[in-house]
Amino acid sequence: MRFLQSWLLIITFPVLIISAYRFVGEYQNWQKARQIKQEYLDELSALELKRDRLRTRVEKLQTDELDQERLVRRFGFIKPGETVYKVVRPRTTSFTED
């Protein structure tokens, strides 16, 4: 009986060590997976917020005439009959004395 207990102890101890080692490794993998999942959820939230802002901007451009005009003018369009004036700044030249 004593002999059997010794062998069970000899067999059980390595199995216990291997199980603990695998548990720690799997626990670390689980933690990494949780972190990656949280990063994806944070990125998803940021993208949803950006989508909502863009959707609001599109709706505003479709309904607000002032925003439509600002956008069109940003591309250089003018209304019929308007005169465009372009302000040109003179070049500065430096004169050196000989």
Side-chain angles (χ1 to χ4, degrees):
M1 188 70 156
R2 187 120 167 107
F3 178 72
L4 184 59
Q5 287 176 348
S6 298
W7 275 104
L8 284 176
L9 183 63
I10 291 171
I11 292 172
T12 305
F13 188 67
V15 170
L16 183 62
I17 290 175
I18 291 170
S19 296
Y21 177 76
R22 291 194 56 160
F23 173 77
V24 169
E26 293 302 318
Y27 180 76
Q28 289 173 346
N29 289 339
W30 178 70
Q31 289 287 48
K32 287 178 188 176
R34 283 185 62 202
Q35 179 183 1
I36 291 170
K37 178 185 173 185
Q38 188 59 46
E39 290 171 1
Y40 281 135
L41 290 174
D42 293 344
E43 183 180 358
L44 180 62
S45 295
L47 289 172
E48 287 172 344
L49 182 63
K50 184 176 181 180
R51 178 202 61 202
D52 293 341
R53 285 184 191 148
L54 289 172
R55 187 174 284 156
T56 302
R57 181 73 176 134
V58 167
E59 289 171 3
K60 194 171 181 184
L61 281 172
Q62 289 174 342
T63 58
D64 190 355
E65 291 182 19
L66 184 59
D67 271 350
Q68 291 171 358
E69 185 171 344
R70 285 181 187 147
L71 181 64
V72 169
R73 290 190 179 269
R74 191 178 302 163
F75 288 109
F77 289 93
I78 59 171
K79 290 182 180 180
E82 287 184 333
T83 304
V84 177
Y85 295 96
K86 185 174 182 180
V87 177
V88 180
R89 296 181 184 207
R91 291 186 184 177
T92 57
T93 56
S94 59
F95 294 99
T96 57
E97 293 183 26
D98 292 327

